[in-house]
Every structure is written in C-alpha cells, then in structure tokens.
Amino acid sequence: LADLLPAMDGDTKTMTFLQEVVDILLAYIVESFDRETKVVDFHYPNELLQMNNWELQDEPATLDDILISCRATLKYAIKTAHPRYFNQLSTGLDMVGLAADWLTSTANTNMFTYEVAPVFVLLEYVTLKKMREIIGWSDGRGDGIFSPGGAISNMYAMLLARFKMFPEVKEKGMSSVPRLAAFTSEHSHFSIKKGAAALGIGTESVICIKADESGKLIPADLERRILEGFVPFFVSATAGTTVYGAFDPLIAISDICKKYNVWMHVDGAWGGSLLMSRRHRWKLDGVERANSVTWNPHKMMSVPLQCSALLVREEGLMQNCNQMHACYLFQQDKHYDLSYDTGDKALQCGRHVDIFKLWLMWRAKVGKSSLFEAIQHHCNLKSSSLYLPQPCFPQNIPRSGAFSPCSFCVFTQPQHTNVCFWYLPPGIRYMEDKEERKKHLHKVAPVIKARMMEYGTTMVSYQPQGDKVNFFRMVISNPAATFEDIDFLIEEIERLGQDL
Amino acid sequence: LADLLPAMDGDTKTMTFLQEVVDILLAYIVESFDRETKVVDFHYPNELLQMNNWELQDEPATLDDILISCRATLKYAIKTAHPRYFNQLSTGLDMVGLAADWLTSTANTNMFTYEVAPVFVLLEYVTLKKMREIIGWSDGRGDGIFSPGGAISNMYAMLLARFKMFPEVKEKGMSSVPRLAAFTSEHSHFSIKKGAAALGIGTESVICIKADESGKLIPADLERRILEGFVPFFVSATAGTTVYGAFDPLIAISDICKKYNVWMHVDGAWGGSLLMSRRHRWKLDGVERANSVTWNPHKMMSVPLQCSALLVREEGLMQNCNQMHACYLFQQDKHYDLSYDTGDKALQCGRHVDIFKLWLMWRAKVGKSSLFEAIQHHCNLKSSSLYLPQPCFPQNIPRSGAFSPCSFCVFTQPQHTNVCFWYLPPGIRYMEDKEERKKHLHKVAPVIKARMMEYGTTMVSYQPQGDKVNFFRMVISNPAATFEDIDFLIEEIERLGQDL
C-alpha cells in the first residue's frame, strides 16, 4: 500500500492495483447482466455480519486483502443491473453513465465554485438550461440545481415557496409568518411531509388532498381545502406517483394555484423523464406553468445514483433564499464571472458532482433515437405484459402467459411503468368471506418476497396503499428487461406462492 | 453505443469501451501527481464554453465522441490530486478510496434499506459504531448517519436539538415553540446560519459568540449571551474552524451546555479527523460530552468526495425526529431485522453510498501506521514551514526558505494544518500609513491568485476575516504534498506578487 501513489515511482504499482480492481468490476458487470446469475445471494443481517471479516481492525490490510474485500462486497451486493431486478424506481446500469461516474470519482472535486470545478459547473449550467427548455420555460430561462435526491429537491422547492411569500422568514424564522398550509395528494411522496417537519412548518400543515381511484389528485378537493383558512403557500402536484405511477392533472391544478396565488411545484422525480418522450410527454401537460419542478434522471433515465435536479422558474430566488456570503469561498474580488460560483444557492456547502454522468449519457443517447427509445421501451414493456384497462378483482385476466386465470389481478390502469397487482394463491382465490380473503391476501406478498430473496432469482417490491392490502408493484426502468423477464417474474411469483 | 450491454453479446464491446475509459483515467492519475504538470489549464467561463463542444446536441454521439469528451473534461479539470494544490480543505486523491468509489458506482445502489444494500448498510453500521467509540461514547453506543456534506450534517444536528426539546415541532411547526436561540462562534461555518434559515428558526436566532485572537470561542461570552433571554437550545462548537483551523474549548463549553441544559454539537467537519491521531486528539478533549458530532472523512482523512458523518449520542432520536413510515419502502412485515432499514432516519429518501470508500481506506490505512501517520504528516508539514508563534505583522519571519525577510507574515499560531498569512510585496512593505497599507494589502491576494490560476502552477485560497484584510490560507490535507511543495507555493507567491 505504501508503494502506491503518491509514493515515488508509484505509477506502475498504482496502475497494476487499479487495473486489478477494474478487472473485478468488469467481471461483476458481465455477471450482473447474465440471467443465469442470481440477483441476490441473500443472508440475514446477523449471518452476513459473521460471514466475512467486515469489522474494522487495528492492523492495516495488505493490497491483497483489499482486493478480497472488494470481491466479497460484490458477492453479497444486490445486482441492480440484473434484467430481473424490478425492485425500485431506479434499476439497471448504463455503461456510459458508469464510465462518467468513474471519471467523476477520479476528478474528485466539488461543485461549489467555478474555481475548482470549471467544466462541471459549465456542464451543469448547459444541462439545467436544456432541461428548462424541455419543461417549456422560454429560452430555458430560470434557475436550478442538482441536489442529493428528490426528497431534498422537494424540500428546496418548499423552502423557496415560503421565502418568495415571506422573505423575512430567512432572518426572523417562522415566528414572523402566519400559519401556513401546503397541499399535496394523499398519494404523494413522503418527502413533502418530511420537508415540512424539517422546515419548521409542521406535518399538520401539509393538507392531504384526495386522489381518485387511479391515484390522481382531485382538483375540486384541492380548491375546497385551500379555502379552509390557513395561508396557502405551496401546492405539490405529482407527475408519476411512487406507487401507482399516477400523473396529477397539472393544468387544472395550475389554474387553482394561479387563482389563489400559490406556488405550484411539480414533483416529477419519477415521471419527469417522460418530458424526453414525444409520445408520453402529454402526461405532464401544464408543467410549464409550475414555479418549480423536481426531475430525477437517476430513475427513468437510468443515470447512476444520484442525479436529481430542481428546476426553478424565477431567476435569482435560490441565491437570495439560501446565500450566506461565506467570504472564504465566494470571494467577491475573484477574476472571473462570479455568476458561475453556484454554491451559495444550495444548503449544502460541498456538493458532489452529479452532472457529468447525466451530461455524458445525454450526449450519447438523446436524439432521434435511443434515450427516447429507452423510455419508449419501458412503456411498451409495461403496456403489453400485465396491462388491464379496468379494476378486475376477482375477474379473469386476459393474458397469454403461462399462469392460470384469476391468479393475478391488476387493479389500476397503469399510467406509467408501475404495474400494481395482487397474486391470488389457489387457497384464497375463491374464498367467499371478503374480509377473510383480504386478511389472507395481505400476508401473501411479504411471504413471496421473502422466499424470492432467499432464492435470489428476481426482486420486486410490495406495499399496501389506503384500503388496499399488500400488493406487488413491478416497476420497469431497466433497459435490460424484456417481456421474457417480466414473464419470469410472474411465473416466479406463482411458483413461490401457490401453496399459500 | 447500441452494442454495449445490455445488448445481446455486448460483453466484449463493453469491456473494450470501459477499458478505454480506464486507460484515460489512469493516464490522468499519473499526470496529476507529476509536478511537471500544471494544476489547472485555466480559461474564463465564456472562453471555456466556446473551446469545446459542451452544448447538448440533438444527435447522439458515437463511442469515439464519448471518449473525446472524457479527455476534454479532464484536460480542463482542476488536478485536485496535484501535490501543489492547496486550495481547499479536501485535497489529494487516495488510490484505495478511488478504487472503492469505482466499485460503489458499479454497485449502483441506494442506502435506504438492507434489502437493496445489505453490505453497505452493515459497513455503515460497523463504521459508525467505531467512530462513536473513538469519540469516546461507551461501547460505541448511539446513532448516526452519513449525509451529503458537513452543512447537512450540521443541519441534522440542529434539527435533532430542536426536536429533543420540543418534539411537538414535528407536527405543529415552529408556531408551537417559543423563540429559540442557537449559539456559535463568529468563526464558525456558515452552514449553522443556513441551517437556521432553512429550519424556520431564522438567522437572527443564531447568536454569534466572540472568538479570541486565535479564533477560539470565548466561553464567558457564550454564557453571557445564553442568559440574554430567548430559549437556548443549541450550541455548535467548532473543532477546526474553516479559516484559522481553531479548536473551540470543548470542556468549558460542555460545562455551560450542561448548566443550561442546551444541546451541545461539535462541528468537527474539518478537525474531527484528529481523533484518529494519538498526538493531536487532545485538541478535541471534551468531544465525548457532546450530544452530536459532525466529522467529514473526506477532508483530513482524504476520502474521496463526499463522505460526511453525523454521530449522535442518543439512540432512536433521529428515527423519531425524521421518520414518516413510507409503507412502500419501510414495510413492517419484512422477513429480516428492520433496524437495518436506516433510511427513515434521514431527510433524504434515496441516499448515495458514501460508506464503502471510507471503510476500505480504514481497512487499508488505520492501525499503528499509516492513517495516523498521514495526519501526522500533514501536521508536520504545517508546523515546520510557515510556523510562527506570535502575530508578527510587520516583523520579520524566521524561516530558512528562499524568500526575503518581512515579505510574509503568519498572523495566528496554527492550531491545525491551516496556515494563514499575508504576502507583503516590496511596494507596500514599508508603507507608513496603516490604513493605506491595509487598503493595498487587501488587493494583493486576489491579484496573485488570478495570476496563479493563469499560470496554473499551484493553487491556494484567500479571504478576509473580521478586521483582517485578504490573506492567504494554505491548507495541508494532501498526502502528496512535501516541504518542497510548500516552498514552491511560497516562492510562486513572491514571484507573482513582487511587482504589486
């Protein structure tokens, strides 16, 4: 280890070491895409803790130990690139994105100033402008920042909305502000409430608006609740809800926001990437009327984790809201155009370079062809496999696959690539007592998921929602997935659950 | 591009492409450590924008274009690993850390649940426990999380302190809470005020406590201000201030916090790593009495960006403060020990894997030898190059180097590896009018810095502080730096500034 750079003449030893690591990584990548490999070699936490020497020792390891640790870490990792990994909204591994992330690590710098990250700061500038153009803001004007995830982007939006209405809150805090109210659908992401708790607004000030059966916010209910009293300052519409993949009606919501002079935010963390699709972007019609938009390229666009943008329509607001003028970082007597020192817009001081992987993938993939096609590919997979136009429980499901009729039930019309469904094992398929059946059904998904992880063949998520007991939520955002992989998932669920 | 994985038989093409990228990166690494190379090939933003094809096109690039973009990006990047890069608190590039970060990108997963990041979640658990042991909390008990940077870690601490005293704030917001007061030294990091603004506390509620000449908070002034009225809830002591590298007197501060029942936070983002040094950890004596500690291994410990930990003494508090029970992520009927699903402790939903690089470096370097030695190395470099025990402006500086007497002035006794100093060009060295001299001196550092960047030979930071006009702040945290590199910096400053 002492022979690696910066040691004198450490070049050769360093190249050899890094190349050995790269060889391990390349082998892992090839394996990850191989359907013969397991998605996970699962072990319970206490087991896994004992299976390898993970504890930190007082004696330094050798270079060989380090390589062994790398292999062990990958052995027990989840293969998120695997074509049969359907577990999260972010799946897959893009090769250009990966190369860009390796370069980012090697450049090892910080986004706060042009001084230390000239290229990355420019690429962020160029890319944010393009994203704003795509949203539909004229000439791509506005502002924005890449943040560590959609939850933080949403929190930024709420922070900006409050500051816009009550700029004195920055100095004087919430005691200078009347009782506020924020509004979001009952299907929205939990980060809206987390943000309100953190910002001192309080979760009780987040009013949950009713959603219809498909998961879309009901505008009439929004207007009714806005009229109830407290000062409305923030509406967060969701473009692509986490569970159902529903798109709130942005145009109707924006009319209400305009009428009551409320900041309109669109949480497009999941669905925002449909703006890149000619065929699907209508689902976000009205997004150009928003004051701010969250859009996570690390989800549907398959950019490596993390890559989340907040786009803001008003220029200068982020800077005014968050700046503290730290004179050791944002010196005002520098010799270049200070508008490129973007760090004071953020709550973070140091900020990881998340832009390069998006920028490089955009260069590689956007155009008449592939990035559009990738999203198209995801949407096609969704629509032709488990698609059902109507809630059907417990009707038959018309589908050509191998599983038996009535064993699966897709209960909302998919609007995005989320497909939510129950598996009905033979034992409860014809139960007559509805409550009894629900009770049993609730336990089915967790058992199948546990078995699935132990077999390690595929992974899919499940959860309850409102009055709906535990159901599976298959999400397609992995460019490696095919129809056959989805069939595999379905058959695996049936195989693992037929005795339940 | 379409031939890369996940394309059928994409293995070979993918390995070739990634290997080509790796070859570019390896060449860049070797170049970065070469003193014959420039630290930066500087261009003004508008120039740089035009020097390469950075704009996003509508036509997809070829693989060759992608490689060209990678080379161009590195050509204009700041070589943060360069032995003569002294510009930030985080400098250098560690080869084990880099390898770990490449692995992290390849694993491409998310820290929210054990389900999708089993190994990384365990490594975070093991490492946080070790860090708490080192702080001195018995058996390493307590809590913690890795967050996207010290500013966010500090904000978490403030959030926890408020919640601990007024748990109802989570639901009801700041309207349920009396007027609060937070306390921190006038030399503390700006993130304390940023946090207060964001959390709805307001910057006016952050009381700045006087620091002595060396930059340490004055405890008597803290006590005096605590008694002034508003409800004291949070004291942030700094272990290693950003500019001077000063260590606040933690024992005296903890006595006051105990007396008035106030949460004591230690912002050790910069200085916390001295806990790893047998010889220097006394500077943090009393840290074990803190309620929370920020510690950024990405600074003095040279872990690649970003890696920041918040350690919390009380178990369970983070979970209670931040959890929202999102049922699609933190299902309560999973088959494994749910205490490993740490995501609901965070404000983030998705969270980047920042642990592996620290864990792997710790394995490689901690022990009787090198990580301790690396810190020792930094501290040695600091103390033998520009060290001066007393403010000396405009006295002579006893030093063996090549520059002339009286040309440099180190004005505080360095407590960490920050060395703050003025360069006094001949033209103003003997000016008699003090105000006039100050005015001139203020303009010296920015001009030298601008010239330095155009030459690209080295980089160092500057800023004013309080009544002190612009001065240079050299920071040593790069294991590649030697005495000769510091001499080079000093001579370069003199060379570039002697006509001023």
Side-chain angles (χ1 to χ4, degrees):
Chain A
L1 274 160
D3 298 335
L4 298 178
L5 284 171
M8 281 278 288
D9 306 318
D11 300 10
T12 316
K13 200 91 190 228
T14 298
M15 312 254 291
T16 309
F17 166 67
L18 289 176
Q19 187 62 53
E20 281 179 300
V21 173
V22 166
D23 291 343
I24 293 172
L25 300 181
L26 292 177
Y28 177 79
I29 290 165
V30 169
E31 205 188 314
S32 292
F33 284 94
D34 179 0
R35 290 180 177 77
E36 303 296 308
T37 321
K38 285 179 166 192
V39 174
V40 52
D41 179 2
F42 180 80
H43 299 277
Y44 289 91
N46 284 334
E47 257 173 54
L48 185 54
L49 258 178
Q50 284 155 24
M51 288 186 75
N52 198 59
N53 194 2
W54 307 112
E55 292 292 337
L56 292 165
Q57 312 295 319
D58 288 333
E59 288 299 319
T62 64
L63 271 187
D64 278 344
D65 294 336
I66 292 300
L67 295 174
I68 290 169
S69 287
C70 288
R71 284 193 201 94
T73 299
L74 291 174
K75 175 168 164 49
Y76 301 109
I78 306 292
K79 294 199 175 59
T80 57
H82 198 288
R84 292 172 183 166
Y85 177 75
F86 298 98
N87 208 66
Q88 309 294 139
L89 302 184
S90 57
T91 60
L93 183 64
D94 184 88
M95 292 305 123
V96 174
L98 179 64
D101 217 20
W102 288 356
L103 185 146
T104 300
S105 302
T106 311
N108 193 36
T109 195
N110 213 315
M111 289 298 283
F112 38 48
T113 59
Y114 180 83
E115 183 176 325
V116 302
V119 181
F120 300 129
V121 163
L122 288 187
L123 298 184
E124 189 170 90
Y125 172 82
V126 162
T127 309
L128 286 171
K129 184 162 186 289
K130 195 81 176 181
M131 292 172 91
R132 289 189 301 260
E133 281 170 13
I134 288 170
I135 285 173
W137 294 336
S138 72
D139 297 329
R141 276 202 297 270
D143 211 333
I145 204 157
F146 283 82
S147 91
I152 303 293
S153 292
N154 287 340
M155 192 175 87
Y156 271 125
M158 193 181 270
L159 188 63
L160 290 172
R162 179 177 69 180
F163 177 75
K164 173 74 180 169
M165 194 172 268
F166 302 101
E168 63 274 27
V169 73
K170 183 176 178 181
E171 285 84 29
K172 303 201 174 299
M174 288 294 286
S175 56
S176 67
V177 170
R179 171 83 188 267
L180 303 178
F183 305 85
T184 193
S185 129
E186 54 183 333
H187 281 238
S188 72
H189 191 261
F190 69 93
S191 56
I192 306 298
K193 284 199 169 180
K194 269 203 184 188
L199 304 187
I201 293 164
T203 54
E204 286 178 4
S205 295
V206 178
I207 313 296
C208 278
I209 306 301
K210 278 189 199 138
D212 64 19
E213 262 300 294
S214 67
K216 292 174 193 291
L217 177 146
I218 300 170
D221 194 51
L222 172 62
E223 183 155 18
R224 186 178 67 77
R225 301 302 299 270
I226 281 180
L227 292 168
E228 273 181 357
F230 308 118
V231 177
F233 82 108
F234 184 72
V235 170
S236 179
T238 311
T241 59
T242 311
V243 177
Y244 283 14
F247 288 78
D248 286 346
L250 301 184
I251 292 175
I253 292 170
S254 73
D255 287 342
I256 295 169
C257 287
K258 196 173 172 192
K259 183 167 167 191
Y260 298 99
N261 193 27
V262 183
W263 183 285
M264 177 180 173
H265 174 63
V266 173
D267 176 4
W270 174 221
S273 297
L274 289 192
L275 291 168
M276 304 293 289
S277 161
R278 288 196 192 87
R279 186 151 150 204
H280 294 278
R281 75 160 285 153
W282 63 268
K283 293 173 187 168
L284 288 104
D285 279 354
V287 68
E288 70 285 356
R289 302 192 193 178
N291 298 92
S292 56
V293 178
T294 292
W295 173 358
N296 288 8
H298 71 214
K299 294 193 166 89
M300 180 64 89
M301 283 163 77
S302 300
V303 176
L305 291 160
Q306 286 184 296
C307 189
S308 169
L310 177 74
L311 294 313
V312 181
R313 196 166 57 188
E314 182 173 333
E315 272 175 272
L317 194 66
M318 294 194 82
Q319 187 81 14
N320 289 336
C321 178
N322 291 327
Q323 72 186 352
M324 290 291 155
H325 302 291
C327 63
Y328 68 88
L329 198 53
F330 308 116
Q331 300 91 335
Q332 296 304 297
D333 44 14
K334 282 182 185 173
H335 62 306
Y336 59 80
D337 178 353
L338 297 176
S339 69
Y340 289 96
D341 281 0
T342 54
D344 219 10
K345 287 182 192 176
L347 289 179
Q348 297 180 276
C349 172
R351 189 157 61 91
H352 189 260
V353 177
D354 292 335
I355 184 61
F356 189 63
K357 48 201 175 190
L358 170 59
W359 181 82
L360 201 67
M361 282 179 67
W362 196 306
R363 270 187 82 90
K365 310 216 156 187
V366 166
K368 283 168 199 136
S369 56
S370 57
L371 191 56
F372 289 179
E373 273 174 14
I375 291 172
Q376 197 62 49
H377 166 79
H378 302 321
C379 296
N380 286 345
L381 281 186
K382 171 266 299 185
S383 61
S384 45
S385 184
L386 272 166
Y387 184 93
L388 252 201
Q390 295 294 330
C392 67
F393 185 54
Q395 291 166 5
N396 286 7
I397 295 176
R399 193 185 164 283
S400 60
F403 59 87
S404 44
C406 248
S407 53
F408 286 84
C409 168
V410 180
F411 61 83
T412 62
Q413 175 164 347
Q415 301 158 70
H416 200 21
T417 70
N418 313 41
V419 185
C420 296
F421 62 93
W422 283 293
Y423 166 66
L424 300 146
I428 65 167
R429 208 169 297 162
Y430 302 102
M431 267 187 188
E432 295 209 345
D433 183 330
K434 282 189 175 175
E435 282 312 305
E436 192 70 7
R437 191 173 58 194
K438 260 182 115 164
K439 223 173 105 184
H440 274 77
L441 187 55
H442 189 56
K443 293 177 188 157
V444 167
V447 173
I448 293 178
K449 174 68 178 277
R451 291 177 179 177
M452 188 180 273
M453 290 199 71
E454 297 209 24
Y455 279 97
T457 47
T458 181
M459 275 175 75
V460 67
S461 197
Y462 75 87
Q463 67 281 298
Q465 167 95 36
D467 62 350
K468 299 214 164 42
V469 299
N470 275 325
F471 54 88
F472 290 107
R473 174 191 49 149
M474 180 185 68
V475 177
I476 305 160
S477 67
N478 188 345
T482 63
F483 292 128
E484 290 69 29
D485 295 313
I486 295 171
D487 283 349
F488 179 88
L489 171 70
I490 299 304
E491 283 157 22
E492 195 69 356
I493 288 173
E494 195 160 39
R495 182 178 77 83
L496 295 169
Q498 61 186 340
D499 64 323
L500 296 175
Chain B
L1 274 162
D3 298 335
L4 298 178
L5 284 171
M8 282 276 288
D9 307 317
D11 300 9
T12 317
K13 201 91 189 225
T14 298
M15 311 255 289
T16 309
F17 166 66
L18 290 176
Q19 187 62 53
E20 282 179 299
V21 173
V22 166
D23 291 343
I24 293 171
L25 300 181
L26 292 178
Y28 177 78
I29 291 166
V30 169
E31 205 188 315
S32 292
F33 284 95
D34 180 0
R35 290 181 175 78
E36 302 298 307
T37 319
K38 284 179 167 193
V39 175
V40 50
D41 180 3
F42 180 79
H43 299 276
Y44 289 90
N46 283 335
E47 256 173 53
L48 185 53
L49 259 177
Q50 283 157 24
M51 288 186 76
N52 198 58
N53 194 1
W54 307 112
E55 293 291 339
L56 292 165
Q57 313 293 320
D58 289 334
E59 288 300 319
T62 64
L63 271 188
D64 280 342
D65 295 335
I66 293 300
L67 296 175
I68 290 168
S69 288
C70 288
R71 282 192 203 94
T73 300
L74 292 174
K75 175 168 163 48
Y76 301 109
I78 305 293
K79 295 199 175 59
T80 58
H82 198 288
R84 292 172 183 166
Y85 177 74
F86 297 98
N87 208 66
Q88 309 293 139
L89 302 185
S90 57
T91 61
L93 184 65
D94 184 89
M95 292 304 124
V96 173
L98 178 64
D101 217 21
W102 287 358
L103 185 147
T104 300
S105 302
T106 311
N108 195 33
T109 193
N110 213 315
M111 288 300 283
F112 38 49
T113 59
Y114 180 84
E115 184 175 325
V116 303
V119 181
F120 299 129
V121 164
L122 288 187
L123 298 185
E124 187 169 271
Y125 171 83
V126 162
T127 309
L128 286 172
K129 185 163 185 289
K130 195 80 175 181
M131 292 172 92
R132 290 189 301 260
E133 282 170 13
I134 288 169
I135 286 173
W137 293 336
S138 72
D139 297 330
R141 276 201 298 270
D143 211 334
I145 205 158
F146 282 82
S147 90
I152 303 295
S153 292
N154 287 340
M155 193 175 86
Y156 271 125
M158 194 180 270
L159 188 63
L160 290 171
R162 180 176 69 180
F163 177 74
K164 173 73 180 170
M165 195 172 267
F166 302 101
E168 63 274 25
V169 72
K170 183 175 178 180
E171 285 82 28
K172 302 202 176 296
M174 287 294 287
S175 57
S176 66
V177 169
R179 171 83 187 267
L180 302 178
F183 305 85
T184 193
S185 130
E186 54 183 332
H187 281 239
S188 72
H189 191 259
F190 69 93
S191 57
I192 306 298
K193 283 199 170 181
K194 268 203 184 186
L199 303 187
I201 293 165
T203 54
E204 288 178 2
S205 294
V206 178
I207 313 296
C208 278
I209 307 301
K210 280 190 199 138
D212 64 20
E213 262 301 295
S214 67
K216 293 175 192 292
L217 178 146
I218 299 171
D221 194 52
L222 172 62
E223 183 156 17
R224 186 177 69 78
R225 302 301 301 268
I226 282 181
L227 291 168
E228 273 182 356
F230 307 119
V231 177
F233 82 108
F234 183 71
V235 170
S236 180
T238 311
T241 59
T242 310
V243 178
Y244 283 13
F247 288 79
D248 287 346
L250 302 184
I251 293 176
I253 292 170
S254 75
D255 287 342
I256 295 169
C257 287
K258 198 173 171 192
K259 184 167 167 191
Y260 297 100
N261 194 27
V262 183
W263 182 286
M264 176 179 171
H265 174 62
V266 174
D267 176 4
W270 173 221
S273 296
L274 289 192
L275 291 169
M276 305 294 287
S277 161
R278 287 194 193 89
R279 186 151 150 203
H280 294 278
R281 75 160 286 152
W282 63 270
K283 293 174 186 167
L284 288 104
D285 279 353
V287 68
E288 71 284 356
R289 303 193 192 176
N291 298 92
S292 55
V293 178
T294 292
W295 173 357
N296 288 8
H298 71 214
K299 294 195 167 91
M300 180 64 88
M301 284 164 76
S302 301
V303 175
L305 291 159
Q306 286 185 297
C307 188
S308 169
L310 177 74
L311 293 312
V312 181
R313 198 165 58 188
E314 182 173 331
E315 272 175 272
L317 193 65
M318 294 194 82
Q319 187 82 13
N320 289 336
C321 178
N322 291 329
Q323 73 187 350
M324 289 293 156
H325 303 291
C327 62
Y328 68 88
L329 197 54
F330 308 115
Q331 301 91 337
Q332 296 303 298
D333 44 13
K334 281 181 184 173
H335 61 306
Y336 60 79
D337 178 355
L338 297 176
S339 69
Y340 290 96
D341 282 0
T342 54
D344 219 9
K345 287 182 193 177
L347 290 179
Q348 296 179 276
C349 172
R351 188 157 61 91
H352 189 261
V353 178
D354 292 333
I355 185 59
F356 189 63
K357 49 200 174 189
L358 170 60
W359 181 83
L360 201 67
M361 282 180 66
W362 196 307
R363 271 187 82 91
K365 312 215 154 186
V366 167
K368 285 169 199 135
S369 56
S370 57
L371 191 55
F372 289 178
E373 274 174 13
I375 290 172
Q376 196 62 49
H377 166 78
H378 301 323
C379 296
N380 286 345
L381 281 186
K382 170 267 297 184
S383 61
S384 45
S385 185
L386 272 165
Y387 182 94
L388 251 203
Q390 295 293 331
C392 67
F393 185 53
Q395 292 166 4
N396 286 8
I397 293 175
R399 195 184 162 284
S400 59
F403 59 87
S404 44
C406 248
S407 53
F408 286 83
C409 167
V410 181
F411 60 83
T412 62
Q413 175 165 347
Q415 302 156 71
H416 199 22
T417 71
N418 313 41
V419 184
C420 296
F421 62 93
W422 283 293
Y423 166 67
L424 300 146
I428 64 167
R429 207 170 296 164
Y430 302 100
M431 267 189 187
E432 294 208 347
D433 183 331
K434 282 188 175 176
E435 281 312 304
E436 191 70 5
R437 191 173 57 193
K438 262 181 112 164
K439 223 174 107 187
H440 274 78
L441 187 55
H442 188 58
K443 293 178 188 156
V444 168
V447 173
I448 293 178
K449 174 67 178 277
R451 292 178 179 176
M452 189 181 272
M453 291 199 70
E454 297 208 26
Y455 278 98
T457 46
T458 181
M459 275 175 77
V460 68
S461 198
Y462 75 85
Q463 66 280 299
Q465 167 94 36
D467 62 351
K468 299 213 164 41
V469 298
N470 276 326
F471 53 87
F472 290 108
R473 174 190 50 149
M474 179 184 68
V475 176
I476 304 160
S477 67
N478 187 346
T482 62
F483 291 127
E484 289 70 29
D485 294 313
I486 295 171
D487 283 348
F488 179 88
L489 171 70
I490 298 303
E491 284 156 22
E492 195 69 356
I493 288 173
E494 195 160 39
R495 182 177 77 82
L496 295 170
Q498 59 186 343
D499 64 322
L500 296 174

